Amino acid sequence: MISFYNKELSSFNAFLLSLVVITLGYYPLINDRIYFVDDITRSIKGYFGWIGLGRPLTEWLAMVLSTSSVRLADITPLPQLLSMLALSSLVMILLKNTFKDVTVGNVLICSTIAVNPLIFGNMLFRFDSLSMVLSVLLPVMAWDLLNKNKMVFPCLLLIACLSFYQPAIAIFPLLIMTTFLQSDKYSDKTINYIFKATSLTFIGCIIYYLAVVKLTIKESEHRADLTSDFGHAILSGLKNSLVTASQSYGHIACVIISIATIIFAVIYAKTFFKMLNDEFNRKKYISILLMIAVPFVIILCTVGVNLILSNGYYPVRVLFPVSFIIFMMLAVPANSTNKINIIASILSTGLIFASLSVIYATTSALYNQQRYDSYVLFSLIDKLSTMNKGKETYIFGTTEDAEASKTSARVFPILKHIKNNYYDMTLSQSLINNGVRDIVFSGETRKVSYTLQKKACNRHMDKIFSTPQYSIFEDENHLLISLGKNNCSK
């Protein structure tokens, strides 16, 4: 086993190995062609809509891929296939900047970045998976160029990263900390390196905020509103992100990550106490301060860009920087001794295998949910077409979880956070797409749906049809489709 992990590879074979691992990891997305969240409405209406979210490069990339600036076409699985190539390139950049030797074990350590449940949360999106993966790749490229003493291009890449998908900016400081922990910490070169990286991060964020956020995000769109309570944002964000990330990886993977964290903590503590016992000088003081800062940087990057937002939230798709923290826990000890390198390689193998299980099980559950929801959709189409009431029809709630999804969720808690159940927006568009008339939905009309649901619960609407999957209520002017059951107790 040791000889297997120590086997040296050419750069080309290392790229092929990473590509095989990545393709194996995301094959279900190519095979099952799942529609996920906004994918349903985007595939029906063909809208773009990313510029208003501060992601102009995502919109322009979608235009290039679909060869249209008017309508967005569904060209799945091309974005996912290109994403796999981008992830393999990312693995190679990590490999060459982190390890001296190109070995099987080191490739697997770097591949933990590419194949994990958090990146999977981005790969699920049919239309913008590539832009999300490019947002991950660009800070890695910026780090690579900074390591080659470049300054202008890394700054431009960080601005581009933010313009693809903002949470990815947290990756850059994590990689800087990884390099710092592997460096000669007392040298002027290392201290200047940290200063340059910090400056680049702040300059890139400021330029992005002034040139993109201020010009593209509407005042009515509150995603860019800044918080006034950083203390509460850090605590609640850290708690929510850690819970979501740990549930995403699953039980076995969390055990592996815990072992890697313990090894990293021991290496970190040994380095820190050795530093304290060395002769004091100005460089040593700075290095000690930087070592103390490392845990805080990790915490802040776990919370990510949501730290400064008033409405920060922590679904799986924004937590992928956590995978770079796990990479740091593996890579830093792996560079200390060959024995620990083998241990890190074995842990990486187990982590990738556990991630494959999570990805495959989650994909199967989402596929089963899609089939279940299709039954609900066509049952509603049949019922509404026979009613022919001509009344405005509103939708409330979400579909129940399919039994197969419930079973998988007991083993893989990630399914608490990744769902493709029909809800008011996606079901309304799907009904309209299948020829059902008088369906009403918008952000504003949600208020009407809530009001009608309250009337139905108070028995001020007549229940005219009911199944275990949904109920239909009626008053003199409206129809209400109440998805699921027990909506009155929620």
Side-chain angles (χ1 to χ4, degrees), residues 394 396 424 442-454:
Y394 295 82
F396 179 87
D424 53 6
S442 69
E444 286 299 314
T445 56
R446 269 193 175 132
K447 298 175 184 177
V448 178
S449 300
Y450 279 102
T451 301
L452 292 176
Q453 182 63 37
K454 288 181 180 178

Side-chain angles (χ1 to χ4, degrees), residues 152-428:
V152 176
F153 283 117
C155 186
L156 294 175
L157 288 172
L158 292 180
I159 297 168
C161 155
L162 288 162
S163 299
F164 271 122
Y165 195 44
Q166 299 92 339
I169 191 64
I171 292 169
F172 187 67
L174 287 171
L175 291 174
I176 297 301
M177 287 294 98
T178 301
T179 301
F180 168 71
L181 291 172
Q182 295 176 324
S183 66
D184 178 7
K185 300 171 185 61
Y186 295 165
S187 69
D188 287 330
K189 182 179 178 181
T190 300
I191 294 171
N192 289 336
Y193 174 79
I194 297 294
F195 175 77
K196 289 178 181 179
T198 304
S199 301
L200 282 175
T201 304
F202 279 106
I203 292 170
C205 289
I206 291 169
I207 293 175
Y208 167 75
Y209 185 77
L210 296 175
V212 179
V213 172
K214 285 295 186 180
L215 297 179
T216 63
I217 299 183
K218 300 175 183 178
E219 290 184 5
S220 58
E221 177 63 62
H222 297 293
R223 295 182 187 224
D225 291 352
L226 303 182
T227 184
S228 58
D229 188 354
F230 286 99
H232 179 266
I234 292 175
L235 292 176
S236 63
L238 184 61
K239 177 183 176 182
N240 292 333
S241 58
L242 286 176
V243 168
T244 303
S246 62
Q247 290 181 339
S248 298
Y249 270 94
H251 305 299
I252 294 176
C254 283
V255 171
I256 296 171
I257 293 169
S258 298
I259 296 171
T261 303
I262 292 170
I263 295 173
F264 172 82
V266 170
I267 298 293
Y268 173 87
K270 286 177 64 177
T271 304
F272 185 70
F273 287 119
K274 180 178 181 298
M275 186 179 293
L276 290 176
N277 291 327
D278 288 343
E279 182 180 349
F280 280 89
N281 55 53
R282 183 183 63 85
K283 295 177 186 177
K284 177 181 175 179
Y285 278 122
I286 296 174
S287 295
I288 290 173
L289 289 175
L290 290 173
M291 285 291 288
I292 293 173
V294 168
F296 294 98
V297 172
I298 292 173
I299 290 172
L300 293 180
C301 290
T302 301
V303 180
V305 73
N306 286 287
L307 166 68
I308 62 172
L309 301 180
S310 61
N311 62 344
Y313 68 122
Y314 304 91
V316 174
R317 67 179 180 274
V318 306
L319 293 177
F320 53 89
V322 173
S323 64
F324 282 82
I325 298 174
I326 296 168
F327 167 73
M328 180 194 294
M329 305 293 182
L330 292 164
V332 171
N335 266 318
S336 59
T337 66
N338 184 60
K339 183 177 180 179
I340 296 179
N341 183 282
I342 297 300
I343 294 172
S345 300
I346 294 171
L347 292 175
S348 299
T349 304
L351 192 58
I352 291 171
F353 182 79
S355 296
L356 290 178
S357 297
V358 173
I359 292 170
Y360 276 56
T362 304
T363 307
S364 296
L366 293 174
Y367 175 74
N368 282 310
Q369 187 65 45
Q370 189 168 286
R371 293 182 62 188
Y372 176 87
D373 284 3
S374 294
Y375 164 76
V376 175
L377 171 66
F378 289 109
S379 174
L380 272 167
I381 291 170
D382 180 64
K383 192 62 186 175
L384 292 172
S385 63
T386 59
M387 286 181 177
N388 195 26
K389 296 276 186 177
K391 295 181 178 181
E392 289 187 339
T393 303
Y394 295 82
I395 300 168
F396 179 87
T398 62
T399 56
E400 296 286 328
D401 291 340
E403 288 301 319
S405 297
K406 292 178 182 177
T407 300
S408 294
R410 296 186 187 103
V411 182
F412 299 100
I414 188 176
L415 285 163
K416 298 176 183 177
H417 308 284
I418 290 185
K419 290 179 176 292
N420 62 337
N421 303 53
Y422 272 135
Y423 62 104
D424 53 6
M425 184 176 75
T426 52
L427 179 58
S428 66

